[in-house]
Amino acid sequence: MNMVFEGTAFKFGRDVDTDVIIPARYLNTTDPQELAAHVMEDIDREFVNQVKAGDIIVAEDNFGCGSSREQAPLAIKGAGVACVVAVSFARIFYRNAINIGLPILVCPEAARAARSGDLLRVDLDKGEVTNLTKQKVYQADRFPDFMQEIVAAGGLMQQVRHKISDRKSGPS
Amino acid sequence: MGMTITEKILARACGREAVQAGEFINARLDLALANDITAPLAIKEFEAAGAEKVWDPERVVLVCDHFVPNKDIKSAEQAKFVRDFARRQGLSNFYDVGRMGIEHVILPEKGLVVPGDVVIGADSHTCTYGALGAFATGVGSTDLAAGMATGEVWLRVPETIRFNLEGTPGKYVTGKDYILYIIGLIGVDGALYSAMEFAGGAMRALSMDGRFTMCNMAIEAGGKSGIVEPDEVTAQYCRGRVRREPAMLASDADAVYAQVIDIDVAGIQPQVARPHLPSNAVAASELAGLKIDQVVIGSCTNGRIEDLRMAAAVMKGRKVNPDVRTIVIPGSQEVYQQAMHEGLIDIFIDAEAAVSTPTCGPCLGGHMGILAAGERAVSTTNRNFVGRMGHVDSEVYLAGPYVAAATAIAGTVAVPGEVLS
């Protein structure tokens, strides 16, 4: 799996809530492609037309605040966004992104400095964000070990799958 | 070293003597909840993982409340998907049209949440149940799927911010005003990842419904949970409702807090949070004269009987302003029926307000009161984000039931004193 992404930054401010990431009027579906067609529509109408596969969302503090809708990271992932880099994330969004396999990084310096249009390289294994436009390298916060294990296992449901098969094959 | 009530609940749930903030634990669940928006994804994940039976058919609770009675074909398909799963799994706590209400109103009402419980819900306002002295937090659909399959959830034990509320509130100042004031004070990420513990004399004096309102909005400050130590008010509420043994826990005197914030509630005026963040709280009086097109009274935040009593006290014998569409949504069938017995429904209808079956409806811009471009609502709900209640160019002002009802009568943002005098 390629853990290095290179893409154009789309910069957002602080407190980007899940209602603007994917408005509730579209929550009558769970199809990632249908959701992706409306991602960020209430904060930036042009985003869906401009974003390309592999691009990177960059935001200030508290990205993904508000509702628990997992449709928010699904819509972002469905639009082809490779990674979200922010100063901080709201906690439910943070868990959801890890659970569905949308790479996210807490990297305050990189997030604050980046501007829309900057070319970024994100190395997930090293936890490094390079702003190729500004020629600067930033170190991201490491995932706690406990969460690193979930990521390494291929997500939360993979862990659950193991537990279920252990239960089925193990002594009762 | 002492523990907070949150640490004590989580220690019990992972079978340990003690836990500390910052630790990662696997906690046993007492209850797992999802609704018609979040359950479909959770069910798909659950089945894709090869899970066959939920860990306990009495403890997985599914409530169709967001887009029901179904607003369109797609939402009908989603509700049907949830309904079919509930039947297949033999869930004893599945709540559908006619039996249902807004999830966070009915779970406590039906005695499903007990003090000392650990609850996860695929809905951010699951934190409401902290009002009963339980640990309750919102998660996404995948976390919920894992919880349904295993009866466990991984958690980082949160730091706690303690809010000591003392003093006597002024007239028409409610739990909603306390919480809007607090979010205004600390910001929408002021309690990020933290438990918000509401304590002090003013909390002990606050009704159960007021406590639900406060804990409900902990998420609007970024909180993982809100919590109130259970007391006689809690015990009274639980009597005749709960069937499991409650654990009435309390924080130790030497518990460690990330922060302690003292608040004199005598200084809090009726609040309104301006668009587009719940933290934009100001005294309602500062917005006097602001013209309003719609008033919504209801939701998981303020759809309980006490909320309807407050609204009715203001609206009794009056008519809502002809330019304001006023929508009252009791939070559950029980609340609806109680309001009917007390004559509150007559008061609302006589005032020319619309009264609806329980639903989350307009709160999240689902249905039953969507705003057009340029329209402005005062709402007792919990979020005033861009486009939350409809068009991206509409506005939501958050308030408690007194201010909402007074505004409905006046046609402009008003405090009850002006309307009642």
Side-chain angles (χ1 to χ4, degrees), chain A residues 14-15 17 19 24 27-28 30 34 66-68 70-71 89 91 95-96 99 146 150 156-157 161 168, chain B residues 37 44-45 49-50 67 72 74 78 123 137-143 154 188-189 193 364 383 385 388:
Chain A
R14 55 168 299 144
D15 305 321
D17 61 78
D19 274 272
L27 294 183
N28 54 7
T30 55
E34 254 184 88
S67 136
S68 69
E70 204 159 287
Q71 285 89 339
F89 291 91
R91 62 164 285 277
R95 284 182 78 115
N96 286 349
N99 286 343
F146 191 94
I150 297 173
L156 182 66
M157 290 317 282
R161 220 165 264 142
K168 281 179 184 165
Chain B
I37 289 180
K44 283 178 191 165
E45 288 287 341
F67 292 161
D72 55 22
K74 281 182 169 182
Q78 278 183 314
D123 187 278
T137 193
V139 296
S141 296
T142 300
D143 271 317
W154 71 266
V188 288
D189 60 352
Y193 302 112
L364 76 162
R383 292 189 176 131
F385 298 150
R388 174 75 178 178

Side-chain angles (χ1 to χ4, degrees), chain B residues 22 40 46 50 76 86-87 100-101 172 178 181 206 248 266 270 278 366 394 404 413:
Chain B
F46 176 87
R87 284 190 186 138
M100 66 86 176
Y172 307 122
Y178 292 175
Y181 177 85
L206 192 65
M248 308 288 272
S394 61
V413 173

Side-chain angles (χ1 to χ4, degrees), chain B residues 297-312:
Chain B
I297 297 168
S299 81
C300 61
T301 313
N302 280 119
R304 299 181 182 81
I305 190 66
E306 184 185 82
D307 302 312
L308 299 192
R309 286 180 190 139
M310 290 177 191

Side-chain angles (χ1 to χ4, degrees), chain A residues 99-119:
Chain A
N99 286 343
I100 67 148
L102 170 69
I104 55 171
L105 276 182
V106 177
C107 192
E109 276 187 294
R112 287 197 183 100
R115 294 289 169 264
S116 281
D118 286 359
L119 191 61

Side-chain angles (χ1 to χ4, degrees), chain B residues 109-364:
Chain B
E109 199 177 85
K110 297 195 179 296
L112 297 177
V113 183
V114 173
D117 273 0
V118 172
V119 182
I120 59 167
D123 187 278
S124 61
H125 293 110
T126 300
C127 51
T128 308
Y129 315 131
L132 288 165
F135 173 85
T137 193
V139 296
S141 296
T142 300
D143 271 317
L144 200 271
M148 288 199 302
T150 64
E152 287 181 358
V153 64
W154 71 266
L155 294 167
R156 181 182 173 278
V157 179
E159 283 81 17
T160 296
I161 303 176
R162 184 175 166 110
F163 297 85
N164 285 322
L165 286 80
E166 298 291 350
T168 307
K171 212 170 179 192
Y172 307 122
V173 173
T174 67
K176 183 64 166 282
D177 303 297
Y178 292 175
I179 192 64
L180 287 177
Y181 177 85
I182 287 171
I183 298 166
L185 200 66
I186 66 173
V188 288
D189 60 352
L192 197 59
Y193 302 112
S194 304
M196 298 172 78
E197 185 176 314
F198 303 112
M203 284 310 297
R204 286 191 294 276
L206 192 65
S207 67
M208 209 54 232
D209 285 359
R211 297 178 190 188
F212 283 127
T213 301
M214 289 187 69
C215 289
N216 172 273
M217 289 191 74
I219 179 69
E220 312 314 337
K224 184 172 207 155
S225 56
I227 197 156
V228 180
E229 289 177 357
D231 58 9
E232 191 39 48
V233 173
T234 325
Q236 180 70 36
Y237 181 88
C238 290
R239 227 162 272 151
R241 293 182 195 272
V242 307
R243 288 176 299 276
R244 288 184 284 121
E245 191 60 31
M248 308 288 272
L249 302 170
S251 294
D252 293 324
D254 59 344
V256 179
Y257 291 98
Q259 213 182 334
V260 177
I261 297 174
D262 294 315
I263 293 166
D264 179 4
V265 299
I268 301 176
Q269 294 180 54
Q271 301 283 299
V272 173
R274 291 174 293 118
H276 290 286
L277 287 175
S279 55
N280 293 336
V282 295
S285 53
E286 286 182 35
L287 297 173
L290 187 74
K291 211 178 157 320
I292 297 298
D293 304 291
Q294 177 170 296
V295 165
V296 174
I297 297 168
S299 81
C300 61
T301 313
N302 280 119
R304 299 181 182 81
I305 190 66
E306 184 185 82
D307 302 312
L308 299 192
R309 286 180 190 139
M310 290 177 191
V314 177
M315 286 161 74
K316 188 173 185 179
R318 296 181 173 79
K319 300 269 185 223
V320 301
N321 185 289
D323 292 335
V324 181
R325 305 172 316 257
T326 303
I327 302 163
V328 180
I329 309 178
S332 70
Q333 294 287 74
E334 186 182 312
V335 171
Y336 201 151
Q337 205 158 31
Q338 177 70 21
M340 210 164 62
H341 291 154
E342 293 182 19
L344 310 184
I345 303 297
D346 278 335
I347 293 173
F348 297 135
I349 293 175
D350 287 344
E352 296 173 349
V355 183
S356 144
T357 188
T359 180
C360 304
C363 170
L364 76 162

